[in-house]
Amino acid sequence: MHEKSPDPAPALFGWEFAADPYPAYAWLREHAPVHRATLPSGVEAWLVTRYGDARQALADQRLSKNPGHHRERGAHRKGKTGIPGERSANLMTHLLNIDPPDHTRLRRLVAKAFTPRRVAEFEPRVQELADRLIDAFADRGEADLIHEFAFPLPIYAICDLLGVPAEDQDDFRDWAGMMLRHDGGTRGGVGRAVKRMRGYLAELIHRKRGDLGDDLISGLIRASDHGEHLTENEAAAMAFILLFAGFETTVNLIGNGTYALLRDPGQRARFQDAVTRDDAPFVASAVEELLRYDGPVEMATWRFATEPVELGGQRIAEGEPVLVVLAAADRDPERFPRPDVLDLGRGDNQHLGYGHGIHYCLGAPLARLEGRIALGTLFRRLPGLQLATDPADLRWRGGLIMRGLRALPVTFT
């Protein structure tokens, strides 16, 4: 009797894959858990898809965040592995691109902005933003929840946190929109938006030196002035990455979370009941499950082997790029029972949605707060919320790192 041969390897990175990558990731977990793939940019990288391997890779100090360690075989492809425009805008010295000891120093400075007390103090402002945005479309009976709710809420919130004056926040919204609209192959508009943002942040840092407030940029300036050795480039890069990483993740958490609830009547009813009863622990648990089930970050940002590394039975050569696929790891049946089922009451939910190890997302407490308030307010105020289109007609944004919808049209009564 002949053994049945496995199904052929799935196609990666096309539009069909973007709509639902989870079957392909299931195949990779079973047949090629550490898999060398050619990305849409032409760069070859290792994709890590099992939970255990993913946790190991995220914490492995031999996998550097510094793009200077990239030594790809063949064509010279430097510059295609990071955020579009960051190299030309002189924004490379941020937390996603550096290792200890610089990473330790910069992270310590920024961590002061994300203490539990500071995040809790921000809650009334996030609630005000959520209500104001819903007020703007509540009487229409229809809306695009990405562009009218999920996108502006975290932009205005992170601008407030950074200390961007109210009169300048719409410019940030426009620049962020250019970054959000790009697909994996369209980098020019993103690069221009990054340069404009970088120029504005440098100017804002100069202005704030003479008028310090209680915002994050003022805090970075104070730290620099008190001997923490934060250069102006580092301050601008830090402000930029907090904006870049702090808004799109939350856009996707709100959008993906709403979409998942609208497609699962049973879990949506559980969530709506919890919101009605003001059951804060259940709502918090629900947000964790939504992060695991279809999280905002599909792959962790780039890592590069500083020496030969063995991972999942594969030998990764020095200089080769590694992408940890958080979306695949968080549906690993070896770690999560019935991983493809949305269960808002799931216990022991140690997902990797915000990473693991020293690069664990600093803004995770704020993102969770925004997710809880945004989703809770949405389903409390608009209990008749329904999808206004066939799910097959929805489109997902291209790109490797983030996972999010281009639009989410809804109706409500």
Side-chain angles (χ1 to χ4, degrees), residues 31 74 90 97 118 179 193 203-204 232 240 242 251 269 282 285 308 315 319 388 398 403:
H31 300 289
N90 199 16
N97 278 349
R118 183 101 184 231
M179 295 163 69
E203 179 190 341
L204 183 61
E232 186 173 294
F240 165 75
L242 288 170
V251 175
F282 184 87
S285 168
R315 185 182 183 278
R403 172 164 173 77

Side-chain angles (χ1 to χ4, degrees), residues 213-256:
D214 190 35
D215 54 81
L216 178 54
I217 288 180
S218 294
L220 292 174
I221 293 169
R222 283 193 188 94
S224 181
D225 289 345
H226 286 84
E228 288 279 5
H229 310 300
L230 187 71
T231 69
E232 186 173 294
N233 272 345
E234 287 175 334
M238 185 71 68
F240 165 75
I241 202 59
L242 288 170
L243 179 73
F244 181 86
F247 93 89
E248 191 171 357
T249 53
T250 309
V251 175
N252 295 348
L253 168 57
I254 297 168
N256 298 5

Side-chain angles (χ1 to χ4, degrees), residues 146-294:
I146 299 299
H147 294 282
E148 297 182 72
F149 186 65
F151 170 64
L153 188 150
I155 274 292
Y156 291 136
I158 201 73
C159 281
D160 283 352
L161 189 71
L162 289 171
V164 176
E167 62 269 22
D168 295 340
Q169 292 189 6
D170 284 339
D171 286 337
F172 264 78
R173 180 175 174 163
D174 291 343
W175 296 329
M178 291 177 69
M179 295 163 69
L180 197 66
R181 284 191 296 271
H182 90 92
D183 61 29
T186 306
R187 303 171 76 94
V190 188
R192 286 191 295 275
V194 169
K195 284 184 179 180
R196 288 173 187 163
M197 209 176 278
R198 164 69 172 87
Y200 174 85
L201 289 169
E203 179 190 341
L204 183 61
I205 289 166
H206 278 304
R207 272 192 279 155
K208 281 188 176 290
R209 282 195 180 278
D211 185 21
L212 295 176
D214 190 35
D215 54 81
L216 178 54
I217 288 180
S218 294
L220 292 174
I221 293 169
R222 283 193 188 94
S224 181
D225 289 345
H226 286 84
E228 288 279 5
H229 310 300
L230 187 71
T231 69
E232 186 173 294
N233 272 345
E234 287 175 334
M238 185 71 68
F240 165 75
I241 202 59
L242 288 170
L243 179 73
F244 181 86
F247 93 89
E248 191 171 357
T249 53
T250 309
V251 175
N252 295 348
L253 168 57
I254 297 168
N256 298 5
T258 302
Y259 178 58
L261 290 172
L262 292 179
R263 296 201 68 194
D264 190 321
Q267 297 302 306
R268 183 246 181 91
R270 294 178 75 187
F271 186 76
Q272 205 132 8
D273 176 65
V275 168
T276 302
R277 292 184 291 103
D278 199 21
D279 184 347
F282 184 87
V283 172
S285 168
V287 169
E288 295 309 304
E289 174 66 351
L290 292 168
L291 283 163
R292 182 204 68 82
Y293 179 75
D294 197 9

